[in-house]
């Protein structure tokens, strides 16, 4: 996140500039998508495009405001964050999403459980994954069987409830 | 390509349900709504009457049922145990959402229930009859504000059909959408809009209390318990009802279809189902076989035509 | 005295065994989640929504309300003993409460918070019962133009209330508004910003968004923040009872807090955090011992705790009578009503009077339960704070994904043989958003409020203009809308004036404490 700024005492906040760019990007997407809309020939004094344009304009103004704020360095102090745990948790969520349809709720959520525990420094993975899978199965059983929630079942759930895959 | 096919077969094998569930009914809506209640009432009736030992209900909400429909059509192909609940709203939603999957991609089995659309005005309105309303519409179409459910739904379609039937341009109808008839109620009672148009049940208690005047109902026969003409009787050539149906998966054999139809018919004529209809205030409009197929085709065609006329579909 | 009759009938209904059980479950869960750092009442109600749709609507709503009240009680415990507020409304409590705990006066601090919450909850719930019917009578005649003015007021106050950074408050609000555009437009049936994804046609699910921002976002922030991983629980030492002196100093503060909190919650204005801040500065100026502030002044706990509970009850006024949610929890509760086919608003009082009054009466009952749960059993709740973080957050994420899957988890997207749930992808994406918002000091609530109120405001504006056939004057022709716009202007002006009079100091102090 280099900004290539000139002032030395008051370095603009690089991250804040990135936020400004994201806000501006959002505005562009809304403008562009809205301009592509087909408008039905209805009796509409204020059609479905007015609000998107207003909100996109607001985002542009806020992006400008964020740039100004970044230049003045008036963003609050940030704590030093450790990124490794974040990757563990995101990895756990992605793993769960990918595994759900094939492996079922308990195994997929066991993976998420283990990754989250790992992010907070608890291992080893094989042990927490096992605990997580058992915990998730109990939860699955209560909610899917007891409360009729539609939750994905996999080989483990079928094996334990019907006795076959 | 072969690898992909193999992988699909393997997962398919993993997913073939164990023989425990006789039927899985998909409600293409969130828990609690009309389609969900229909599916769960069917589940209850089928199990209680011993038509099926084990019935599961799954919810796939979204976009007027088209999300559930698309998933059902692609994932359940050839599965004789899968059913989906749907309704008239789906017909419109398929068109307005440009859904890649339509009712042609599933096997409709039977119509189960139906509800008339009611045309109401506040008690203090100077509109006494449908003729008065038509006169107002003809004087200045845009000055008559209609309040009803979401755009492209059965309420909106009824408003458009009425305008068209009396020779007006449906795009000029000043239709104000609410997320349901109940939500539109405050605007109708407060006289902020001219006329309300939504399911009879949404207005029933206010009609009975004398706060709303029922001008007409949209079905081809009168609704028992309500003293109001049908639109046809009032001289407007419109008949439309908000029906609910059940469909089976695409790609099933004729024998399988006949077996499912027999099960659904047994369910729909059972005492459990009839009692449930009464407590929920649903009207039994059971129709199956060729008669239903013809009705469905006619409804789809008419809906597509009016949605084009209103301008919601190109 | 119609209100008395209705309330009495509501009480009879609330005292039925099954409703008492729902209330007890609600307040117990609410206290637990309030105590646990990182999960608040909004998240808990959001997670419970999909599991309750088969239960009795009245019971479920009573439970949700119990969670809301319980969360407000429980939040103070964390602030006082851990110095990490469980929810934003307890930030102020941490200022004095944690100082008291460190001086070995944790017991009295917890007691004044609990009794203050009780007094405020009781008075404010009665306030709700007596004010609501008037608002309803008034609101029945509200047109779309009046509702639109109301939303404008809500936007202004929700974003302007966020301390010294209106820029970050507004940015959060606009992110919510932008996300609210996604989906089918109700008035024309046209699709907006769905990028051809079927799952987006119905827009972003409020519960998915709330669960992501609160549960996933908070988990990511806590895991990554080295300072927070090892926060220390201050043990409760010394007498747990309040001395006579404590009582003398507390009672007026409780009442003042209630009178500050209730109107702020009841107006479509900022949430409980604004109320607790205002109460804190009021106590500081009323106190005979202002020098104790910052070193453990009991008024600084009593007042803000009363204020935040009173404002929680106040929030239910616009929610029940107008269908207008002004806090994240209220927004989720609105979704809860809609799940049962109930639309909060003036007609709810006409069509579902028994349910509404049972709900209000059960709040009184819940309040008594909470006093019992919180005073003698406080030690039990404190133990919750000793659950190791790795199990706690792993469990939270399990339930967060379970709730999302149960509500909207269809495996609607596929890559070859692997099918994935788009809703979970959204959950992950918004979770990361929630982390980033926290990391850069943006408030979370305006995102949720914007997501809900944005589409409502748009629909009301377009309805107003459709009815008037395009005449913009319709927006300022009713007395109600004129009054609301005037209030909105005052609400913008007031913080500016306050800052000029030098009271912005506490505001900015709060903003830094939050990080």
């Amino acid at each position: 996140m280099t900004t290539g700024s000139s002032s030395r005492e008051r370095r603009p906040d690089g991250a804040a500039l990135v936020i400004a760019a994201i806000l501006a990007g959002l505005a562009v997407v809304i403008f562009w998508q809205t301009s592509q809309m087909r408008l039905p020939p209805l009796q509409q004094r204020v059609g479905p495009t007015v609000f998107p344009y207003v909100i996109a304009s607001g985002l542009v103004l806020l992006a400008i405001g964020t740039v100004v704020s970044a230049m003045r360095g008036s963003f609050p102090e940030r704590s030093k964050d450790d990124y490794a745990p974040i990757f563990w948790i995101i990895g756990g969520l992605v793993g769960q999403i990918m595994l759900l349809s094939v492996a079922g709720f308990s195994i997929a959520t066991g993976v998420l459980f283990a990754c989250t525990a790992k992010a907070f420094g608890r291992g080893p993975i094989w042990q927490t994954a096992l605990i997580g899978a058992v915990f998730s199965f109990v939860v699955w059983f209560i909610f899917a069987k007891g409360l009729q929630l539609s939750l994905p079942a996999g080989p483990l759930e079928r094996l334990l409830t019907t006795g076959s895959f | 390509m072969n690898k992909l096919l193999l992988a699909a077969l393997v997962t398919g094998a993993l997913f073939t349900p164990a023989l425990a569930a006789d039927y899985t009914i998909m409600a293409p809506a969130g828990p609690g709504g009309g389609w969900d209640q229909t599916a769960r009432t069917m589940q209850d009736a089928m199990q209680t009457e011993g038509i099926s030992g084990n019935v599961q209900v799954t919810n796939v909400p979204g976009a007027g049922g088209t999300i559930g429909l698309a998933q059902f059509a692609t994932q359940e192909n050839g599965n004789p145990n899968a059913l989906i609940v749907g309704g008239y709203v789906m017909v419109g939603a398929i068109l307005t959402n440009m859904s890649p999957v339509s009712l042609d991609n599933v096997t409709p089995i039977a119509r189960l229930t139906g509800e008339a659309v009611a045309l109401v005005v506040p008690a203090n309105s100077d509109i006494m009859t449908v003729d008065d309303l038509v006169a107002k519409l003809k004087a200045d179409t845009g000055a008559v504000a209609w309040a009803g459910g979401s755009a492209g739904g059965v309420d909106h379609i009824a408003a458009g059909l009425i305008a068209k039937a009396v020779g007006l341009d449906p795009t000029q109808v000043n239709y104000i959408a609410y997320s349901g008839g109940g939500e539109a109620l405050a605007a109708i009672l407060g006289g902020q809009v001219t006329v309300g148009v939504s399911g009879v049940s949404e207005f029933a208690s206010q009609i009975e209390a004398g706060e709303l005047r029922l001008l007409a109902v949209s079905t081809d026969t009168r609704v028992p318990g309500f003293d109001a003409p049908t639109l046809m009787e009032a001289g407007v050539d419109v008949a439309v009802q908000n029906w609910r149906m059940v469909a089976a998966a695409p790609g099933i054999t004729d024998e399988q279809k006949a077996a499912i139809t027999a099960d659904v018919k047994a369910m729909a004529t059972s005492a459990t189902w009839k009692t449930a209809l009464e407590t929920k205030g649903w009207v039994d409009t059971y129709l199956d076989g060729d008669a239903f197929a013809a009705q469905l085709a006619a409804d789809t065609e008419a809906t597509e035509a009016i949605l084009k006329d209103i301008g919601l579909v190109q | 005295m119609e209100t008395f009759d209705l309330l009495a009938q509501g009480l009879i209904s609330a005292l039925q065994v099954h409703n008492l059980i729902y209330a007890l479950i609600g307040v117990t869960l609410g206290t637990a989640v309030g105590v646990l750092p990182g999960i608040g009442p909004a998240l808990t109600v959001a997670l419970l929504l999909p599991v309750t749709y088969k239960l009795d609507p009245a019971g479920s709503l009573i439970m949700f309300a119990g969670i809301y009240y319980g969360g407000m009680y429980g939040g103070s415990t964390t602030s006082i003993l851990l110095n990490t507020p469980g929810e934003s409304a307890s930030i102020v409590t941490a200022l004095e409460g944690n100082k008291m705990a460190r001086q070995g006066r944790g017991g009295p601090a917890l007691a004044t918070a609990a009794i203050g919450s009780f007094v405020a909850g009781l008075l404010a719930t009665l306030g709700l019962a007596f004010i609501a019917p008037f608002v309803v009578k008034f609101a029945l005649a509200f047109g779309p133009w009046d509702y639109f003015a109301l939303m404008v007021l809500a936007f202004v106050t929700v974003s302007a209330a966020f301390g010294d950074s209106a820029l970050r408050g507004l940015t959060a609000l606009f992110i919510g508004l932008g996300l609210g555009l996604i989906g089918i437009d109700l008035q024309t049936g046209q699709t907006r910003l769905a990028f051809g994804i079927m799952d987006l046609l119905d827009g972003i699910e409020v519960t998915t968004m709330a669960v992501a921002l609160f549960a996933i976002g908070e988990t990511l922030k806590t895991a990554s923040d080295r300072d927070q991983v090892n926060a220390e629980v201050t043990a409760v030492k010394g007498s747990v009872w309040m001395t006579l002196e404590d009582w003398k100093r507390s009672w007026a503060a409780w009442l003042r807090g209630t009178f500050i909190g209730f109107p702020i919650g009841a107006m479509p204005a900022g949430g409980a955090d604004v109320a607790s801040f205002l109460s804190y500065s009021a106590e500081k100026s009323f106190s005979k011992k202002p020098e104790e502030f910052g070193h453990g002044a009991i008024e600084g706990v009593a007042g803000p705790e009363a204020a935040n509970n009173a404002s929680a009850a106040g929030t239910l006024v616009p929610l029940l009578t107008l269908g207008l949610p002004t806090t994240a929890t209220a927004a989720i509760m609105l979704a809860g009503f809609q799940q049962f086919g109930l639309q909060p608003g003036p007609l709810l009082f006409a069509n579902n009077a028994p349910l509404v009054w049972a709900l209000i009466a059960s709040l009184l009952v819940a309040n008594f339960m909470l006093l019992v749960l919180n005073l003698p059993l406080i030690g039990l709740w404190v133990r919750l704070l000793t659950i190791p973080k790795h199990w706690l957050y792993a469990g939270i994420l399990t339930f967060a994904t379970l709730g999302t899957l149960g509500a909207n988890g269809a495996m609607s997207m596929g890559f070859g043989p692997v099918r994935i749930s788009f809703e979970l992808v959204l959950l992950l994406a918004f979770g990361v958003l929630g982390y980033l918002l926290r990391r850069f000091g943006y408030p979370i609530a305006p995102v949720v409020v914007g997501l809900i109120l944005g589409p409502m405001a748009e629909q009301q504006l377009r309805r107003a203009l459709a009815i008037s056939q395009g005449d913009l004057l319709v927006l300022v022709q009713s007395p109600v809308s004129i009054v609301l716009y005037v209030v909105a202007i005052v609400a913008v002006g007031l913080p500016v004036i306050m800052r000029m009079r030098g009271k912005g100091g506490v505001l900015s102090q709060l903003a830094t404490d939050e990080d």
Side-chain angles (χ1 to χ4, degrees), chain B residues 85-169:
Chain B
V85 168
Y88 185 65
V89 177
M90 230 180 216
V91 176
I94 288 165
L95 296 166
T96 46
N97 299 345
M98 289 175 273
S99 164
V101 170
S102 78
L103 291 178
D104 295 336
N105 299 87
V106 296
T107 313
I109 298 291
R111 184 174 72 187
L112 297 172
T113 63
E115 187 183 28
V117 171
L119 219 52
V120 297
V121 292
N124 61 3
S125 165
D126 58 353
I127 299 174
M128 305 306 286
T129 63
V130 174
D131 285 342
D132 294 348
L133 178 67
V134 171
K136 273 210 183 214
L137 278 171
K138 284 189 171 160
D140 184 354
T141 313
V144 176
W146 302 68
S150 57
V154 64
D155 307 344
H156 192 183
I157 286 172
L161 283 171
I162 291 169
K164 198 178 160 192
V166 299
L168 296 167
D169 177 4

Side-chain angles (χ1 to χ4, degrees), chain A residues 38 40-43 101 148 150 158, chain B residues 14-15 59 171-172 310-312 314:
Chain A
R38 184 186 74 87
L42 289 175
Q43 283 298 298
S101 71
Q148 301 274 309
S150 348
R158 282 194 288 271
Chain B
L14 277 176
F15 264 94
N59 295 90
T171 63
Q172 294 302 306
I310 302 174
L312 289 184
Q314 270 178 335

Side-chain angles (χ1 to χ4, degrees), chain C residues 196-261:
Chain C
I197 299 169
M198 291 277 279
D199 299 75
L200 286 178
L201 289 181
D202 272 356
I204 307 278
E205 229 16 84
V206 177
T207 46
T208 303
M209 173 76 123
V211 170
L213 289 179
F214 292 107
I216 317 270
E218 180 69 25
T219 306
L220 288 170
K221 182 76 189 121
T222 312
S224 63
D225 198 336
R226 288 186 198 121
D227 306 336
Q228 262 189 29
V229 173
N230 298 309
E232 210 177 307
V233 184
T234 312
V236 183
K237 291 173 286 196
S239 167
V240 292
W241 300 107
M242 290 168 66
T243 61
L244 194 65
E245 161 92 6
D246 290 335
W247 281 95
K248 273 188 188 155
R249 289 177 61 177
S250 290
W251 73 268
W254 294 333
L255 293 182
R256 276 194 293 267
T258 307
F259 288 113
I260 291 170

Side-chain angles (χ1 to χ4, degrees), chain B residues 118-310:
Chain B
L119 219 52
V120 297
V121 292
N124 61 3
S125 165
D126 58 353
I127 299 174
M128 305 306 286
T129 63
V130 174
D131 285 342
D132 294 348
L133 178 67
V134 171
K136 273 210 183 214
L137 278 171
K138 284 189 171 160
D140 184 354
T141 313
V144 176
W146 302 68
S150 57
V154 64
D155 307 344
H156 192 183
I157 286 172
L161 283 171
I162 291 169
K164 198 178 160 192
V166 299
L168 296 167
D169 177 4
T171 63
Q172 294 302 306
V173 170
N174 189 1
Y175 186 83
I176 297 154
Y178 288 79
S179 55
E183 258 208 88
L185 211 47
I188 303 166
L189 287 170
Q192 292 146 15
V193 294
T194 323
V195 55
V197 54
S198 197
V200 175
S201 64
E202 305 265 21
F203 300 138
S205 59
Q206 278 72 25
I207 295 170
E208 277 157 27
E211 292 169 355
L212 289 178
R213 185 182 308 125
L214 179 61
L215 299 180
V217 293
S218 69
T219 35
D220 45 14
T221 53
R222 290 193 176 206
V223 178
F226 292 98
D227 178 29
T230 66
L231 281 169
M232 297 281 214
E233 288 169 1
V236 180
D237 188 19
V238 170
V240 60
Q241 65 161 307
N242 189 8
W243 44 261
R244 291 184 196 147
M245 64 146 189
V246 59
I252 56 170
T253 64
D254 286 348
E255 293 78 43
Q256 286 169 335
K257 185 183 172 188
I260 296 170
T261 310
D263 279 351
V264 169
K265 188 161 191 170
M267 187 280 302
T269 48
S270 71
T272 316
W273 176 256
K274 299 266 183 200
T275 318
L277 289 190
E278 218 158 289
T279 47
K280 291 187 193 294
W282 294 345
V283 181
D284 190 353
T285 57
Y286 186 81
L287 192 68
D288 63 11
D290 292 340
F292 176 49
Q295 171 71 43
L296 191 60
D299 257 1
T300 310
E301 198 182 325
T303 307
E304 187 158 4
I306 189 65
L307 285 174
K308 276 185 182 152
D309 289 340
I310 302 174

